[in-house]
Amino acid sequence: TFITCHGGNSTVDSARLAHTGTPEKKFTTNTTHEEAITVCGGCHKQPLENFLKGAHNLSKKLPRQPNCVTCHGAHGIKLASPELIAEPLCSSCHDVSQPRRIYRAIFEAEKELSAAEVLIHSAKGKIDGVDQLQAELHQTRSKLHGLSHALNLFEITRNASEAMDFAETVKAKLAPKLTGIKWGLIIKVVG
């Protein structure tokens, strides 16, 4: 990934030579706001699409224009999680209430999706239709995480609500069937 971000020459073992690059593999030490977004967005298409529609990208008059590196870091990249929406980072530019609302909505939805994931995993091979629920869970989680890049409170809270509704649907479909399977096993053992 270093080569992807900064260029350089990956065919040599010497750090000095790798950083000097060759004419066709130029090493760049600085990346602009736009270059960082382009590099990350090369693989992360949906987060890029949401980021480009969001206030952090559209507000060109910001004193510090945030980009992917602002939240995820440049080296030792932090995975997407509600913890990235943190007060020290967000409150350096924003009133603390909005990042807290966004964090809470994503955190609560993620907690419910994780519980649904446990049920889906428990039901694998025992109940029909679980593969479809697992695919829907992946889509729901991806959409929820992707929206966080736009940081639109209304969209995030609406989508978090939809994610929690999906989790409740999974619970309603699978929990009674799993309980029935469990009791069936107990009756077999006792009987």
Side-chain angles (χ1 to χ4, degrees):
T1 57
F2 177 75
I3 308 262
T4 304
C5 298
H6 295 287
N9 187 349
S10 64
T11 62
V12 295
D13 291 334
S14 161
R16 183 183 61 74
L17 291 175
H19 290 153
T20 57
T22 62
E24 65 277 357
K25 296 179 180 178
K26 187 178 179 196
F27 179 75
T28 58
T29 55
N30 298 318
T31 54
T32 65
H33 169 79
E34 289 77 17
E35 288 171 334
I37 293 169
T38 301
V39 167
C40 297
C43 295
H44 303 282
K45 305 280 188 231
Q46 188 62 51
L48 171 66
E49 187 179 307
N50 288 317
F51 178 81
L52 293 176
K53 291 188 276 185
H56 284 141
N57 183 58
L58 298 175
S59 300
K60 301 294 183 192
K61 297 176 186 173
L62 295 173
R64 294 180 307 231
Q65 185 91 27
N67 61 35
C68 310
V69 172
T70 307
C71 297
H72 295 279
H75 304 118
I77 306 297
K78 298 173 194 152
L79 295 175
S81 72
E83 286 74 29
L84 287 181
I85 304 168
E87 287 184 32
L89 178 63
C90 299
S91 63
S92 65
C93 296
H94 299 277
D95 176 278
V96 76
S97 63
Q98 182 161 350
R100 280 184 182 169
R101 283 190 209 108
I102 290 171
Y103 171 84
R104 224 175 295 128
I106 292 173
F107 179 80
E108 290 299 321
E110 184 56 43
K111 188 168 69 173
E112 295 297 322
L113 291 175
S114 292
E117 185 174 33
V118 168
L119 284 172
I120 289 169
H121 181 71
S122 297
K124 268 212 171 281
K126 299 174 187 169
I127 299 172
D128 291 336
V130 173
D131 290 339
Q132 176 62 31
L133 288 174
Q134 188 165 19
E136 288 176 42
L137 171 67
H138 179 73
Q139 286 177 323
T140 301
R141 186 174 268 148
S142 293
K143 185 177 177 187
L144 179 67
H145 291 178
L147 277 176
S148 63
H149 291 90
L151 291 171
N152 177 322
L153 180 60
F154 175 74
E155 286 291 320
I156 289 171
T157 53
R158 184 173 57 79
N159 190 260
S161 178
E162 290 171 5
M164 289 191 280
D165 288 346
F166 169 75
E168 286 296 320
T169 300
V170 168
K171 193 184 302 182
K173 284 182 178 179
L174 298 182
K177 290 178 182 177
L178 286 170
T179 301
I181 291 169
K182 179 181 163 188
W183 278 107
L185 290 173
I186 291 171
I187 290 171
K188 279 183 183 178
V189 171
V190 173

